[in-house]
């Protein structure tokens, strides 16, 4: 009995406490922006403003107030996942001790320069505030090169944690820490447990996922801590992270298949410690890039990173003597100690060495690291004098070529994978070198939010239903209209006539049914057959397309991109197809692209292009010479080009920007006969490659054709032209002789 009374007393006490606190602390449910404004105006420390469930359209929320450390003012939602900010929405916060949680931005884009800003205006900043469990999902401006930031952190002592940011597709940093006024410097921000989801290749500078500072303020300290974040395929450009200020700490983060590096671009005394980089052999995946002074790279784990040059697993750069703020400071007094690199392809020392970047690293050490790749002996690339780097006690695999008489030793190792997924040597002595396991590791599960679904939006073909299509007028048009993402339209043999253009708005495969019999035969009456619109991707297989029914006007095209900006990258795969008699008038193209469109990959295999009055692949519409281009990767494999008056492939990237690493072009086993000699072909070339970064031309025949023309710029493009025959075709024309050839025959 006594016990029951005691329990009862306790309950009463608890209830009194609860009632008491709810008197002092308001919980205000608001249903619209007017109620929200009112609630913000009246909010006192400890109050909670609750956004009602539903869609908040065009909601520009300004949340200001003064809470206290013990009693912050909280902005939250009725139910997490049930409140979305859509259309032209954004959030500005300013004041002290504000906490924001549970907001979701989707289906739209910010009308201003930021989605979430830690300031109301230039003078009214947020300090000691926290944004947690918020989501920004594909909230990208439809104009690819319209710049905005998703999150800008100003002020001091702010925390941004457990948020999910996925699918930034337009120009501009995903999350920026700003140091533009004294009130935002030495800020001690904390950025932790966030999930940075897939950021597709932008094909330009300005695709950073996280940037701290800018070159202007790079000699001041930020003191930001970035820890326990998960970076999932953050491929926007070669800086996943662009560190541009001093005394920041990056630790316990995971970089999963990210194309790029954690770059210490400006500022000194940054610590990069105990991070995981998993490349899984994916192209252009990188690790850590060191520039500037007193940088420490300690106890990181890197595996399967393939990136070359500025995207190496470990990159130590050359600097510019007396560098201006925005160029490259010399590496001084820096160290890389106790890191592990397993099956990584490139460690780059004195990277970027050229006439301007001539200041080699000094007083820098590389100690106790484990460099293990028993498949690739030339792991290290030395671009300049490395005498300013001291090497000590680094372990190499047996076959690895050493670059210094001292500081390296070789040993064959076996590994076991530990609970965090890292390979650890079984040899106890070797285990003391390289990465020492830490328990903290960011994973998709312990970052971001748990209550919001993570969709995979990467382009995938052949994941849907097969839809049968029979010959006739617009049967393909009707089938396409019924189709869904990833479906396969299977065409029976016969003639297809299209009086309408086909707008491709999702990934779709269009293929002839019998790979051995007669290919289905498509003719079209509009100026284009396929229009790849934003979100669309096209795979064509085993089809013949002919231009006889096309309008008797110049400039027809079989495939074109949207005329408007596309913020979604597309893929175009064509195999076993014939494109014939595209010659009803002049300048009839196979593919025509527009500005502000970008292909991740264009892969063409086993195809015939015959009697074409225009270009086959013309990817040259980014002409501002700012390092922007139209395609990341082009493959032409085992194709025949005959009587093509325009250029077979024109890929153009202008300017000297070094932030990206495309385009990459591979042409193999193709034959070119009478290609590129039409009087309207301004390139005067069969293949015109301007600013392309990787070129392989292998096993091709060029007969009575215009020459290959190369314009080699930016860094050192890798060019290999091997085993080709040139018959009644001029020699290769290039601005720079720095390209490699092997076994070329001219007749
Ligand atoms: Ca950049």
């Amino acid at each position: 009995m006594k016990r029951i009374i005691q329990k009862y007393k306790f309950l009463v006490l608890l209830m009194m406490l609860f009632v008491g606190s709810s008197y002092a602390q308001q919980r205000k449910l608001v249903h619209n922006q007017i109620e929200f404004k009112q609630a913000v105006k009246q909010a006192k420390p400890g109050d909670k403003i609750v956004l009602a469930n539903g869609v908040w359209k065009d909601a520009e929320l300004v949340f200001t107030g003064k809470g206290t450390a013990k009693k912050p003012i909280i902005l939250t939602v009725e139910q997490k996942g049930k409140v979305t900010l859509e259309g032209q929405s954004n959030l500005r916060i300013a004041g002290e001790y504000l906490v924001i949680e549970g907001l979701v931005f989707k289906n739209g884009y910010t009308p201003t320069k930021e989605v979430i800003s830690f300031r109301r205006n230039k003078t009214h900043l947020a300090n000691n505030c926290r944004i947690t469990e918020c989501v920004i999902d594909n909230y990208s401006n439809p104009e690819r090169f319209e710049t905005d930031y998703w999150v800008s952190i100003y002020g001091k002592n702010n925390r941004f944690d457990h948020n999910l940011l996925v699918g930034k597709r337009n120009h501009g940093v995903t999350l920026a820490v700003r140091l533009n006024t004294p009130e935002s410097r030495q800020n001690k921000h904390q950025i932790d447990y966030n999930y940075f989801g897939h950021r597709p290749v932008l094909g330009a500078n300005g695709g950073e996922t996280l940037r701290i500072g800018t070159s202007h303020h790079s000699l001041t300290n930020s003191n930001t801590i970035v820890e326990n974040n998960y970076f999932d395929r953050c491929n926007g450009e070669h800086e996943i992270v662009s560190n541009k200020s001093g005394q920041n700490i990056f630790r316990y983060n995971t970089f999963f298949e990210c194309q790029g590096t954690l770059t210490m671009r400006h500022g000194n005394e940054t610590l990069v410690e105990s991070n995981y980089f998993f490349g899984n052999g994916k192209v252009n995946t990188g690790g850590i890039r060191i520039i500037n002074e007193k940088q420490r790279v300690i106890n990181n784990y890197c595996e399967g990173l393939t990136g070359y040059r500025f995207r190496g697993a470990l990159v130590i750069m050359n600097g510019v003597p007396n560098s201006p703020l925005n160029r490259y400071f010399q590496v001084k007094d820096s160290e890389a100690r106790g890191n592990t690199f397993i099956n990584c392809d490139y460690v780059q020392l004195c990277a970027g060495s050229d006439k301007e970047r001539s200041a080699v690293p000094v007083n820098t050490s590389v100690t106790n690291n484990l460099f293990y790749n028993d498949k690739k002996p030339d792991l290290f690339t030395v671009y300049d004098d490395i005498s300013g780097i001291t090497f000590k006690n680094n372990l190499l695999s047996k076959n690895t070529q050493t670059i210094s008489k001292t500081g390296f030793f070789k040993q064959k190792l076996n590994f076991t994978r530990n609970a965090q997924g890292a390979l650890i040597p079984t040899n106890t002595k070797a285990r003391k070198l390289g990465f020492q396991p830490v328990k903290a590791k960011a994973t998709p599960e312990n970052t971001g939010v748990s209550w919001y679904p993570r969709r995979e939006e990467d382009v995938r073909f052949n994941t849907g239903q097969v839809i049968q299509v029979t010959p006739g007028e617009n049967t393909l048009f009707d089938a396409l209209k019924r189709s869904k993402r990833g479906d396969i339209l299977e065409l029976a043999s016969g003639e297809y006539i299209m009086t309408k253009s086909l707008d491709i708005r999702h990934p779709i495969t269009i293929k002839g049914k019998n790979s051995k019999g007669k290919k289905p035969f498509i003719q079209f009456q509009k100026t284009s057959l396929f229009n790849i619109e934003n979100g669309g991707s096209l795979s064509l297989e085993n089809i013949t397309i002919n231009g006889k029914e096309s309008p008797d006007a110049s400039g027809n095209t079989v495939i074109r991109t949207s005329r408007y900006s596309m913020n979604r990258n597309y893929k175009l795969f064509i195999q076993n197809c014939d494109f014939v008699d595209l010659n009803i008038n002049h300048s009839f193209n196979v593919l025509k692209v527009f500005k502000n469109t970008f292909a991740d990959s264009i892969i063409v295999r086993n195809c015939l292009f015959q009697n074409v009055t225009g270009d086959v692949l013309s990817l040259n519409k980014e002409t501002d010479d700012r390092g922007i281009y139209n395609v990341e990767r082009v493959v032409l494999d085992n194709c025949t080009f005959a009587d093509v008056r325009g250029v077979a492939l024109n890929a153009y990237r202008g300017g000297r920007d070094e932030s990206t690493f495309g385009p990459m072009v591979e042409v193999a086993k193709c034959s070119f006969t009478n290609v590129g000699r039409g009087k309207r072909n301004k390139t005067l070339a069969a293949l015109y490659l301007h600013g392309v970064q990787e070129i392989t031309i292998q096993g091709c025949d060029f007969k009575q054709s215009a020459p290959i023309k190369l314009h080699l710029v930016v860094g050192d493009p890798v060019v290999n032209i091997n085993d080709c025959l040139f018959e009644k075709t001029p020699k290769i024309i290039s601005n720079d002789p720095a390209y490699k050839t092997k076994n070329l025959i001219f007749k």
Side-chain angles (χ1 to χ4, degrees):
M1 191 65 188
K2 215 175 174 184
R3 252 189 198 175
I4 291 170
I5 289 168
Q6 265 183 345
K7 198 175 177 184
Y8 176 73
K9 270 185 185 167
F10 177 72
L11 274 174
V12 168
L13 197 70
L14 202 76
M15 277 170 72
M16 279 168 67
L17 267 173
F18 186 75
V19 170
S21 70
S22 68
Y23 268 116
Q25 295 176 11
Q26 292 266 346
R27 184 183 180 277
K28 184 96 187 170
L29 183 67
V30 296
H31 300 86
N32 54 51
Q33 293 185 62
I34 295 164
E35 288 180 15
F36 171 77
K37 265 185 202 156
Q38 200 67 31
V40 169
K41 223 182 243 172
Q42 293 165 352
K44 291 183 183 59
D47 282 0
K48 227 178 213 187
I49 300 168
V50 183
L51 302 186
N53 285 353
V55 175
W56 289 65
K57 199 161 187 291
D58 302 337
E60 292 193 56
L61 304 182
V62 179
F63 181 35
T64 57
K66 265 200 172 156
T68 64
K70 282 198 174 143
K71 291 183 173 181
I73 305 172
I74 298 171
L75 169 61
T76 186
V77 294
E78 195 176 350
Q79 274 176 294
K80 281 173 186 162
K82 296 274 171 67
V83 176
T84 55
L85 292 115
E86 306 192 14
Q88 312 279 282
S89 295
N90 61 20
L91 170 70
R92 281 177 287 162
I93 66 168
E96 295 277 340
Y97 296 104
L98 308 175
V99 175
I100 294 88
E101 61 174 21
L103 305 187
V104 175
F105 291 88
K106 65 176 204 178
N107 294 334
Y109 57 96
T110 179
T112 58
K113 300 278 278 182
E114 292 150 343
V115 179
I116 294 176
S117 177
F118 281 73
R119 71 174 193 185
R120 184 170 66 90
N121 58 33
K122 266 188 181 165
T123 52
H124 194 188
L125 311 181
N127 294 301
N128 301 302
C129 292
R130 179 181 180 197
I131 292 189
T132 185
E133 286 199 74
C134 288
V135 174
I136 306 180
D137 176 7
N138 279 280
Y139 206 63
S140 298
N141 196 298
E143 284 293 338
R144 192 176 181 91
F145 290 108
E146 181 73 36
T147 310
D148 60 32
Y149 297 173
W150 274 6
V151 182
S152 288
I153 307 182
Y154 301 87
K156 290 188 182 180
N157 303 314
N158 293 312
R159 185 175 178 203
F160 187 79
D161 68 286
H162 292 91
N163 300 290
L164 190 161
L165 309 181
V166 63
K168 186 152 199 312
R169 297 170 189 279
N170 63 312
H171 187 266
V173 180
T174 308
L175 167 58
V177 174
R178 308 300 308 271
L179 275 69
N180 51 336
T181 61
E183 293 74 25
S184 292
R185 294 171 199 156
Q186 293 178 300
N187 52 58
K188 299 202 169 90
H189 296 320
Q190 193 174 343
I191 298 168
D192 57 318
Y193 290 100
N194 299 291
Y195 178 86
F196 295 97
H198 185 202
R199 176 154 195 184
V201 174
L202 181 66
N205 192 13
E208 303 87 353
T209 292
L210 171 59
R211 195 189 70 201
I212 304 180
T214 57
S215 60
H216 299 297
H217 313 294
S218 58
L219 296 179
T220 48
N221 294 328
S222 183
N223 307 101
T224 296
I225 296 177
V226 179
E227 60 185 7
N228 293 303
N229 299 284
Y230 193 84
F231 295 84
D232 180 3
R233 292 163 296 155
C234 295
N235 302 340
E237 60 148 281
H238 80 195
E239 295 171 313
I240 313 162
V241 173
S242 186
N243 182 75
K244 293 186 169 179
S245 49
Q247 294 186 351
N248 297 312
I249 296 174
F250 298 87
R251 64 187 173 205
Y252 315 134
N253 301 288
T254 300
F255 296 86
F256 177 81
E257 296 181 4
C258 292
Q259 295 181 10
T261 58
L262 193 173
T263 299
M264 284 168 265
R265 184 66 188 84
H266 298 299
N268 304 319
E269 298 178 60
T270 283
L271 171 65
V272 177
E273 186 177 23
S274 302
N275 300 282
Y276 292 86
F277 294 80
F278 293 101
N280 292 330
K282 295 282 163 66
V283 68
N284 286 331
T285 46
I288 301 156
R289 187 157 70 114
I290 302 174
I291 308 159
N292 307 289
E293 302 178 15
K294 295 180 186 149
Q295 314 285 33
R296 287 180 299 151
V297 175
I298 293 169
N299 203 50
N300 296 283
Y301 181 84
C302 301
E303 186 187 342
L305 304 173
T306 67
Y308 166 69
R309 203 165 173 259
F310 291 2
R311 272 175 175 152
L314 176 67
V315 185
I316 301 178
M317 292 276 296
N318 259 19
V320 175
N322 303 313
S323 175
L325 276 178
N326 67 343
R327 292 302 292 160
Y328 288 82
F329 280 64
Q330 187 176 26
V331 175
K332 280 185 193 167
D333 310 328
S334 294
E335 60 171 334
R337 175 162 48 86
N339 304 286
T340 284
F341 301 89
I342 296 178
N343 296 330
C344 295
D345 289 351
Y346 294 97
V347 173
Q348 307 274 285
L349 303 175
C350 306
S353 166
D354 58 19
K355 270 188 201 142
E356 186 209 15
R357 282 181 294 229
S358 61
V360 298
V362 292
N363 194 32
T364 288
S365 61
V366 174
T367 313
N368 290 358
N369 299 286
L370 199 152
F371 297 100
Y372 207 87
N373 186 340
D374 52 15
K375 291 183 189 69
K376 190 173 181 295
D378 54 340
L379 178 59
F380 295 93
T381 319
V382 178
Y383 292 92
D384 206 330
D385 174 16
I386 52 168
S387 62
I389 304 176
T390 309
F391 299 96
K392 215 173 139 190
N393 203 31
N394 297 290
L395 193 157
L396 302 178
S397 36
K398 283 258 178 191
N399 60 325
T400 305
Q401 293 159 5
T402 45
I403 48 165
S404 152
K405 278 187 190 131
T406 56
F408 292 97
F409 69 99
K410 295 185 180 183
Q411 195 174 344
K412 174 145 180 62
L413 296 179
N414 292 310
F415 297 93
T416 52
R417 219 174 260 287
N418 74 1
Q420 282 76 37
L423 290 170
I424 306 296
T426 50
N427 178 309
T428 43
K429 215 174 140 203
R431 213 182 290 163
K432 296 202 173 99
L433 294 174
F435 173 74
Q436 302 301 303
V438 285
K439 287 240 166 78
K441 184 195 171 198
T443 65
E445 290 75 31
N446 67 19
T447 54
V449 300
S450 55
W451 44 263
Y452 192 84
R454 294 179 198 183
R455 294 184 312 263
E456 183 50 67
E457 297 210 32
D458 203 15
V459 172
R460 307 247 160 102
F461 290 115
N462 304 332
T463 54
Q465 306 287 314
V466 178
I467 298 172
Q468 300 295 334
V469 189
T470 50
E473 188 181 288
N474 294 331
T475 49
L476 181 54
F477 181 95
D478 297 334
L480 178 68
K481 232 177 159 183
R482 290 201 307 275
S483 74
K484 294 197 172 65
R485 194 181 172 80
D487 282 354
I488 301 138
L489 306 184
E490 205 168 77
L491 276 56
S493 294
E495 284 191 32
Y496 293 77
I497 181 84
M498 307 301 303
T499 69
K500 297 182 271 192
S501 293
L502 298 150
D503 290 342
I504 310 292
R505 299 187 186 279
H506 48 241
I508 191 90
T509 299
I510 300 175
K511 61 190 277 192
K513 197 168 183 174
N514 305 311
S515 57
K516 286 191 183 133
K518 212 175 168 211
K519 291 171 187 168
F521 188 85
I522 305 178
Q523 302 190 87
F524 59 105
Q525 295 180 351
K526 293 271 282 185
T527 55
S528 60
L529 175 56
F530 300 109
N531 305 334
I532 300 177
E533 298 296 333
N534 198 30
S537 276
L538 178 62
S539 175
L540 292 176
E541 281 174 49
N542 199 39
I543 284 168
T544 297
I545 292 164
N546 118 356
K548 279 188 175 149
E549 284 284 324
S550 299
D552 188 3
S554 65
N556 293 322
T557 184
V558 179
I559 306 162
R560 70 161 170 80
T561 64
S562 174
R563 289 195 174 91
Y564 307 104
S565 180
M566 291 170 71
N567 67 9
R568 286 177 184 267
N569 300 350
Y570 67 95
K571 287 180 180 163
L572 175 62
F573 293 172
I574 309 175
Q575 51 180 325
N576 300 320
C577 291
D578 301 334
F579 298 80
V580 293
D581 299 334
L582 307 180
N583 61 355
I584 193 151
N585 202 305
H586 73 79
S587 308
F588 200 140
N589 301 306
V590 175
L591 172 69
K592 182 173 168 180
V593 302
F594 286 83
K595 199 169 158 53
N596 303 325
T597 68
F598 188 81
D600 276 332
S601 48
I602 296 178
I603 315 284
V604 185
R605 296 188 199 279
N606 310 324
C607 290
L608 168 71
F609 302 92
Q610 190 166 32
N611 291 329
V612 179
T613 60
D615 302 330
V616 176
L617 302 176
S618 207
L619 298 149
N620 63 338
K621 295 302 182 289
E622 298 295 352
T623 53
D624 293 344
D625 292 349
R626 293 189 294 140
I628 303 175
Y629 48 101
N630 285 119
V631 62
E632 186 72 1
R633 177 165 178 248
V634 183
V635 175
L636 297 178
D637 177 29
N638 197 33
C639 293
T640 302
F641 300 82
D643 302 314
V644 175
R645 293 164 85 169
V647 64
L649 170 62
N650 180 347
Y652 185 91
R653 163 188 160 145
R656 306 197 64 87
D657 179 78
E658 292 178 287
S659 312
T660 56
F661 277 75
M664 297 171 272
V665 167
E666 190 187 327
V667 183
K669 294 174 281 164
C670 292
S671 87
F672 301 82
T673 306
N674 188 26
V675 173
R677 304 206 298 184
K679 66 177 189 294
R680 293 177 195 276
N681 180 10
K682 289 187 192 129
T683 68
L684 306 171
L687 296 173
Y688 182 77
L689 306 174
H690 186 117
V692 175
Q693 293 299 290
E694 283 179 39
I695 300 171
T696 307
I697 301 174
Q698 169 81 37
C700 296
D701 295 346
F702 295 84
K703 291 174 187 163
Q704 296 170 318
S705 289
I708 297 172
K709 271 195 185 174
L710 308 175
H711 189 85
L712 306 178
V713 282
V714 187
D716 40 0
V718 181
V719 184
N720 288 293
I721 305 177
N722 302 330
D723 306 314
C724 292
L725 170 75
F726 297 84
E727 198 179 311
K728 292 182 182 158
T729 298
K731 290 196 167 160
I732 298 161
I733 297 171
S734 176
N735 66 317
D736 186 330
Y739 59 92
K740 287 183 193 157
T741 62
K742 206 172 77 188
N743 194 21
L744 303 189
I745 301 167
F746 291 89
K747 285 211 254 187

